[in-house]
Amino acid sequence: MKKVGFFKSIHFKFVVVYILLIIIAMQVIGVLFMERQEDKLKENFTKNVDENADMIAVNLEEELEKLMNEPEKEEPKQELASLIRDFSFSDMDRLWVVNTDQQIIAADDESKVGRKTSNQNMISQALLGSATNDIYQKKVDGKLVRTYIVAKPIINGTNGETLGALYIEASIEDIYELSQTLNEILANATIIALVITALLGIILARTITRPLADMQKQAKVMARGDFTRTVKVYDQDEIGQLAASFNDLTQKLQEANEITESERTKLRSVLSYMTDGVMATDMDGYIILMNDRAEEMLSLSRHEAMGRFLPEVLGVEDVFSIELLEESPSSMILDYSSTEVPFIIRASFSVIQKDDGPVNGIITVLHDVTEQEQIEKERREFVSNVSHELRTPLTTMRSYLEALAEGAWQDENLAPKFLNVTQTETERMIRLVTDLLQLSKMDNKDYQLHFQNVDLTELLQQVIDRFEMSKSEKITFEKHLYDKPLSVRVDPDKIIQVLDNIISNALKYSPDGGKVTFLLEKEAKKVHISIKDEGVGIPKQNLTKIFDRFYRVDKARSREIGGTGLGLAIASEVVKAHNGEIWAESEYGKGTTIHVKLPTYQSREREAKA
């Protein structure tokens, strides 16, 4: 490029600006000088008055001493008046000589002689031996005038006795008026200099800012995506060369934007047809990109998500910051399940980063893993539930076997009973495993019941007796059973399993001193069994879910007492397979009642004939 001439260069323009700044600086210095000059004039004035006061006090000492020694003589008074007239000067407004009684004995104005002084405070201090001085304002002809006042003691040089006081008032207003005049002159000069500087600054600034303003407008147009406009080159100085470079940059940006838009279109197409959700953030963790699938999974529109913080959108702002997300494992599980619909997402994170450079953003991929997580959860709960169901008979067997090992086998009465219980529990454990397999067969519609005619009163009594032997002594049983044989056609093993599960739960949740109440009654075509405990009860909102497989109201408490949530689910399936009904009633904090209704033997026969 052609070299820029000196007078066209921006350097020359800056030199002119600096010259104007120096002129302004000189004005500032002038103001400071005037303040200093005013202080110096006041200092010289007060110093002159103080020196005159010292000289007058020395000259008055002898005459004042004579007057005090010979108060009746007129000669000392005349001499004092003569000295006062000789020492008066033009700026002095008042000159008084005051005796120890604060009475004026000599003054430049003879009419004041013999009067008491008006400024008693300063004169009192002077009579006590302390010289005082200060600047005061007083009204003269309705105008405030500044006056310098000096009160100085007149002391006998021989014995140090205070003979009186010298009081002087000198007008200092002329100095302030001179300073005010000079300040007005300086202020006018400063205003003129500022006006000239402003005009020159505007002219110079226009030569610089006009092309810059054009470039600013061009930048705004470019921000809207229009790269067709160019900047006008006004001159061949550095700003002119900047404008030419700006036009060249505009052309290159237009070419780069076309390439970027093409790639963006391809990326948008890929993201739109992905089955996984994708989000991208900037370096601070705020969302800048989001595909359609991510909108569906998060139930959040792209418009609402843009510019929001990634942890906030994912609902993990209380657990993770953006720094932790950058440093955390590559994925995390997010549970968005509602009470009606399960919905679990795996969020995988990948940082956008150059080699050994700062993190520029995060790519987040959202994958729906609800089905996999549900299967895994059911698998874990299934293993836990099987362990619980097998633990109860195993515990019973261990207790009896330990008793036998400790010598009970030698007791001819106890040993057969203990062995019988052990055998019974072994068979029950086998039945539990069989029931689990049958529960799976129920799901596959491959399940058969072995119906038999059973006296339900006797069957329920047997089950109650078995539990009464193993229950805690602090829990009591209350029975209200039908007093006659009650024939039903059921699968006895399955009904025993139902009763075992219900009674086991009642015992687990019953407090010490609690009571379990059994009711068996006959209705028109059905038999009604109810088992009531006095446990903690079930909240109303959970009551309809307790028969769901693996559902537990209080998982922590269920683990402590052995609950798994499978027992009532099995009972529900078995009762339904018998064409019966099962439901629960509960009052939270007061206990729970499980109701079972089964068809009678006669009603089954009538249904079969029909």
Side-chain angles (χ1 to χ4, degrees), residues 392 428 463-478 499-518 531-536 557 561-562 592 594:
T392 301
R428 177 169 169 252
V463 175
I464 294 173
D465 291 342
R466 176 161 51 83
F467 274 95
E468 197 160 18
M469 291 181 62
S470 60
K471 72 176 179 64
S472 170
E473 295 180 358
K474 297 180 180 181
I475 299 175
T476 59
F477 282 177
E478 181 178 318
L499 296 173
D500 282 351
N501 288 337
I502 297 173
I503 298 173
S504 295
N505 283 340
L507 291 174
K508 288 174 186 176
Y509 292 99
S510 290
D512 291 343
K515 179 175 64 176
V516 179
T517 304
F518 300 91
I531 301 172
K532 179 182 179 182
D533 62 58
E534 295 180 348
V536 295
R557 177 173 170 82
I561 62 177
T592 303
I594 303 296

XYZ file of all heavy atoms in Angstrom, residues 392 428 463-478 499-518 531-536 557 561-562 592 594:
388
model
N -37.456 -67.085 55.358
C -38.374 -67.409 56.457
C -38.376 -68.905 56.790
O -38.158 -69.283 57.954
C -39.788 -66.930 56.114
O -39.752 -65.518 55.902
C -40.762 -67.241 57.244
N -42.401 -76.455 52.539
C -42.927 -75.112 52.264
C -41.938 -74.303 51.422
O -42.332 -73.558 50.510
C -43.195 -74.384 53.578
C -43.669 -72.955 53.392
C -44.179 -72.382 54.708
N -44.384 -70.952 54.560
C -43.632 -70.013 55.107
N -42.612 -70.370 55.877
N -43.892 -68.740 54.934
N -53.498 -72.982 59.839
C -52.498 -71.951 59.521
C -52.271 -71.047 60.726
O -51.131 -70.713 61.079
C -52.945 -71.128 58.293
C -51.962 -69.983 58.049
C -53.031 -72.016 57.064
N -53.368 -70.663 61.396
C -53.241 -69.779 62.573
C -52.457 -70.477 63.673
O -51.586 -69.875 64.321
C -54.636 -69.349 63.072
C -55.329 -68.476 62.029
C -54.524 -68.596 64.396
C -56.780 -68.152 62.366
N -52.751 -71.791 63.893
C -52.039 -72.543 64.936
C -50.547 -72.587 64.649
O -49.725 -72.482 65.575
C -52.603 -73.966 65.041
C -54.027 -73.978 65.615
O -54.405 -72.954 66.219
O -54.726 -74.991 65.436
N -50.194 -72.774 63.403
C -48.767 -72.839 63.059
C -48.064 -71.517 63.351
O -46.966 -71.477 63.894
C -48.618 -73.229 61.585
C -47.191 -73.228 61.099
C -47.046 -74.044 59.828
N -48.021 -73.665 58.819
C -47.843 -72.619 57.986
N -46.781 -71.864 58.093
N -48.772 -72.354 57.081
N -48.710 -70.416 63.019
C -48.097 -69.112 63.286
C -48.093 -68.792 64.775
O -47.204 -68.094 65.264
C -48.851 -68.016 62.525
C -48.362 -67.825 61.120
C -48.989 -68.462 60.057
C -47.255 -67.034 60.858
C -48.539 -68.298 58.769
C -46.811 -66.865 59.562
C -47.445 -67.496 58.508
N -49.106 -69.315 65.500
C -49.192 -69.016 66.930
C -48.024 -69.639 67.677
O -47.582 -69.124 68.710
C -50.527 -69.515 67.485
C -50.873 -68.894 68.819
C -52.361 -69.009 69.130
O -53.032 -69.851 68.497
O -52.834 -68.253 69.978
N -47.488 -70.741 67.162
C -46.348 -71.394 67.800
C -45.051 -70.600 67.605
O -44.175 -70.618 68.472
C -46.165 -72.811 67.232
C -47.268 -73.788 67.609
S -46.963 -75.428 66.933
C -45.422 -75.844 67.741
N -44.959 -69.921 66.486
C -43.686 -69.242 66.175
C -43.726 -67.732 66.401
O -42.698 -67.070 66.295
C -43.308 -69.507 64.710
O -44.320 -69.023 63.831
N -44.889 -67.158 66.707
C -45.004 -65.705 66.844
C -44.389 -65.224 68.155
O -44.132 -66.009 69.074
C -46.470 -65.276 66.777
C -47.281 -65.639 68.018
C -48.671 -65.108 67.940
C -49.486 -65.494 69.172
N -48.953 -64.911 70.387
N -44.215 -63.948 68.257
C -43.728 -63.336 69.489
C -44.808 -63.408 70.564
O -46.000 -63.289 70.277
C -43.350 -61.872 69.235
O -43.090 -61.208 70.442
N -44.368 -63.586 71.824
C -45.325 -63.654 72.929
C -46.015 -62.308 73.163
O -47.058 -62.231 73.803
C -44.609 -64.084 74.218
C -44.061 -65.504 74.135
C -43.355 -65.901 75.418
O -43.275 -65.039 76.318
O -42.906 -67.052 75.514
N -45.438 -61.216 72.650
C -45.996 -59.886 72.870
C -47.125 -59.559 71.900
O -47.741 -58.500 71.985
C -44.900 -58.832 72.750
C -43.826 -58.980 73.810
C -42.750 -57.907 73.659
C -41.676 -58.064 74.733
N -40.629 -57.027 74.613
N -47.351 -60.427 70.940
C -48.431 -60.233 69.966
C -49.513 -61.277 70.238
O -49.221 -62.472 70.367
C -47.910 -60.351 68.525
C -46.856 -59.273 68.263
C -49.045 -60.222 67.515
C -46.202 -59.375 66.903
N -50.756 -60.839 70.290
C -51.868 -61.749 70.583
C -52.721 -61.952 69.338
O -52.775 -61.088 68.459
C -52.749 -61.184 71.715
O -53.259 -59.909 71.312
C -51.939 -61.032 72.999
N -53.371 -63.114 69.294
C -54.285 -63.462 68.204
C -55.716 -63.394 68.740
O -56.013 -63.856 69.842
C -54.016 -64.861 67.662
C -52.829 -64.939 66.731
C -52.413 -66.151 66.192
C -52.129 -63.786 66.374
C -51.343 -66.222 65.333
C -51.054 -63.837 65.513
C -50.650 -65.067 65.000
N -56.615 -62.841 67.928
C -58.045 -62.848 68.251
C -58.784 -63.437 67.053
O -58.639 -62.946 65.930
C -58.523 -61.427 68.549
C -59.995 -61.377 68.907
C -60.447 -59.954 69.246
O -59.705 -59.237 69.947
O -61.539 -59.572 68.778
N -52.622 -67.156 52.678
C -52.789 -66.869 54.105
C -51.438 -66.627 54.778
O -51.291 -65.747 55.637
C -53.537 -68.009 54.797
C -54.978 -68.226 54.315
C -55.562 -69.492 54.941
C -55.842 -67.014 54.652
N -50.436 -67.462 54.402
C -49.095 -67.284 54.985
C -48.556 -65.882 54.702
O -48.006 -65.225 55.594
C -48.132 -68.325 54.405
C -48.313 -69.691 55.048
O -49.063 -69.758 56.039
O -47.718 -70.665 54.564
N -48.712 -65.461 53.464
C -48.170 -64.137 53.093
C -48.877 -63.025 53.860
O -48.242 -62.079 54.348
C -48.328 -63.911 51.596
C -47.360 -64.765 50.781
O -46.331 -65.196 51.274
N -47.714 -65.018 49.529
N -50.204 -63.115 53.966
C -50.964 -62.049 54.641
C -50.638 -62.024 56.124
O -50.392 -60.966 56.721
C -52.471 -62.236 54.407
C -52.789 -62.106 52.901
C -53.265 -61.211 55.205
C -54.225 -62.438 52.556
N -50.646 -63.231 56.774
C -50.385 -63.290 58.223
C -48.933 -62.861 58.513
O -48.665 -62.178 59.511
C -50.689 -64.695 58.771
C -52.173 -65.021 58.576
C -50.301 -64.792 60.242
C -52.530 -66.447 58.932
N -48.004 -63.274 57.662
C -46.595 -62.883 57.864
C -46.458 -61.366 57.867
O -45.771 -60.782 58.717
C -45.716 -63.486 56.765
O -45.696 -64.890 56.854
N -47.123 -60.736 56.919
C -47.063 -59.270 56.870
C -47.685 -58.655 58.123
O -47.175 -57.675 58.676
C -47.776 -58.749 55.630
C -46.931 -58.919 54.376
O -45.724 -59.065 54.463
N -47.578 -58.913 53.228
N -48.821 -59.231 58.581
C -49.480 -58.696 59.776
C -48.565 -58.787 60.987
O -48.488 -57.857 61.812
C -50.786 -59.441 60.033
N -47.840 -59.898 61.119
C -46.929 -60.065 62.259
C -45.724 -59.131 62.152
O -45.261 -58.592 63.154
C -46.468 -61.525 62.350
C -47.536 -62.546 62.749
C -46.991 -63.961 62.654
C -48.035 -62.273 64.172
N -45.224 -58.959 60.932
C -44.041 -58.115 60.748
C -44.310 -56.674 61.144
O -43.460 -56.009 61.743
C -43.595 -58.168 59.286
C -42.967 -59.482 58.878
C -42.704 -59.492 57.376
C -42.198 -60.855 56.924
N -42.043 -60.905 55.444
N -45.475 -56.197 60.801
C -45.772 -54.785 61.017
C -46.532 -54.516 62.320
O -46.885 -53.366 62.591
C -46.568 -54.231 59.832
C -45.746 -54.160 58.569
C -45.836 -55.138 57.597
C -44.849 -53.102 58.368
C -45.070 -55.080 56.455
C -44.079 -53.035 57.222
C -44.188 -54.029 56.265
O -43.425 -53.959 55.136
N -46.799 -55.564 63.112
C -47.503 -55.363 64.381
C -46.502 -54.964 65.462
O -45.436 -55.575 65.587
C -48.219 -56.647 64.815
O -49.316 -56.911 63.963
N -46.801 -53.940 66.257
C -45.890 -53.544 67.333
C -46.020 -54.486 68.516
O -46.948 -55.296 68.610
C -46.388 -52.142 67.685
C -47.843 -52.191 67.383
C -47.995 -53.093 66.192
N -45.066 -54.371 69.446
C -45.161 -55.161 70.667
C -46.435 -54.792 71.412
O -46.741 -53.600 71.596
C -43.942 -54.905 71.563
C -42.677 -55.479 70.951
O -42.800 -56.317 70.037
O -41.573 -55.069 71.373
N -47.154 -55.817 71.846
C -48.424 -55.572 72.510
C -49.585 -55.452 71.549
O -50.719 -55.228 71.971
N -49.307 -55.607 70.262
C -50.355 -55.488 69.272
C -51.202 -56.752 69.166
O -50.905 -57.793 69.757
N -52.235 -56.652 68.368
C -53.184 -57.755 68.232
C -53.481 -57.969 66.761
O -53.646 -57.012 66.002
C -54.469 -57.423 68.995
C -55.537 -58.512 68.892
C -56.732 -58.174 69.782
C -57.422 -56.893 69.323
N -58.631 -56.608 70.124
N -53.529 -59.254 66.348
C -53.923 -59.637 64.994
C -55.286 -60.310 65.098
O -55.456 -61.286 65.844
C -52.888 -60.573 64.348
C -53.341 -60.967 62.940
C -51.513 -59.895 64.288
N -56.250 -59.793 64.340
C -57.629 -60.274 64.427
C -57.984 -61.031 63.146
O -57.777 -60.519 62.037
C -58.599 -59.100 64.618
O -58.214 -58.357 65.776
C -60.024 -59.604 64.783
N -58.511 -62.260 63.310
C -58.906 -63.100 62.177
C -60.427 -63.177 62.138
O -61.088 -63.396 63.162
C -58.334 -64.519 62.324
C -56.822 -64.547 62.375
C -56.163 -64.466 63.590
C -56.084 -64.648 61.226
C -54.790 -64.503 63.649
C -54.707 -64.677 61.265
C -54.045 -64.596 62.479
N -58.010 -60.320 57.745
C -56.913 -60.396 58.725
C -56.478 -58.963 59.002
O -56.041 -58.246 58.109
C -55.743 -61.234 58.196
C -56.225 -62.657 57.880
C -54.597 -61.246 59.198
C -55.200 -63.515 57.179
N -56.642 -58.558 60.272
C -56.384 -57.166 60.655
C -55.229 -57.108 61.649
O -55.170 -57.900 62.585
C -57.641 -56.559 61.274
C -57.464 -55.114 61.731
C -58.725 -54.581 62.378
C -58.538 -53.145 62.851
N -59.734 -52.606 63.521
N -54.292 -56.150 61.393
C -53.199 -55.917 62.350
C -53.336 -54.517 62.936
O -54.197 -53.734 62.547
C -51.837 -56.097 61.663
C -51.622 -55.100 60.541
O -51.686 -53.877 60.813
O -51.393 -55.520 59.384
N -52.491 -54.197 63.893
C -52.466 -52.872 64.525
C -51.124 -52.189 64.264
O -50.572 -51.525 65.133
C -52.732 -53.003 66.027
C -54.117 -53.512 66.344
C -54.353 -53.633 67.839
O -53.366 -53.545 68.609
O -55.512 -53.827 68.256
N -50.616 -52.382 63.048
C -49.321 -51.819 62.683
C -49.397 -50.348 62.296
O -50.344 -49.637 62.652
N -48.406 -49.924 61.532
C -48.302 -48.499 61.186
C -49.318 -48.074 60.140
O -49.579 -46.887 59.962
C -46.876 -48.174 60.668
C -45.870 -48.362 61.768
C -46.529 -49.039 59.454
N -37.830 -49.614 55.722
C -38.406 -50.397 56.824
C -38.629 -51.834 56.387
O -38.429 -52.768 57.172
C -39.726 -49.754 57.276
C -40.447 -50.528 58.359
C -41.651 -49.754 58.890
N -42.471 -50.574 59.749
C -42.233 -50.801 61.016
N -41.166 -50.268 61.577
N -43.044 -51.549 61.744
N -37.288 -55.400 58.274
C -38.122 -56.470 58.823
C -38.306 -57.611 57.832
O -39.056 -58.541 58.073
C -39.490 -55.917 59.243
C -40.234 -55.358 58.030
C -39.342 -54.863 60.292
C -41.613 -54.862 58.391
N -37.649 -57.521 56.675
C -37.672 -58.638 55.742
C -38.689 -58.537 54.639
O -38.865 -59.478 53.887
N -53.878 -52.155 59.391
C -54.303 -52.519 58.039
C -55.129 -53.805 58.098
O -54.839 -54.703 58.899
C -53.076 -52.739 57.134
O -52.290 -51.553 57.132
C -53.499 -53.071 55.707
N -56.587 -56.859 55.493
C -56.590 -57.479 54.164
C -57.839 -58.363 54.077
O -58.070 -59.226 54.933
C -55.323 -58.327 53.934
C -54.066 -57.471 54.125
C -55.346 -58.935 52.534
C -53.932 -56.346 53.134
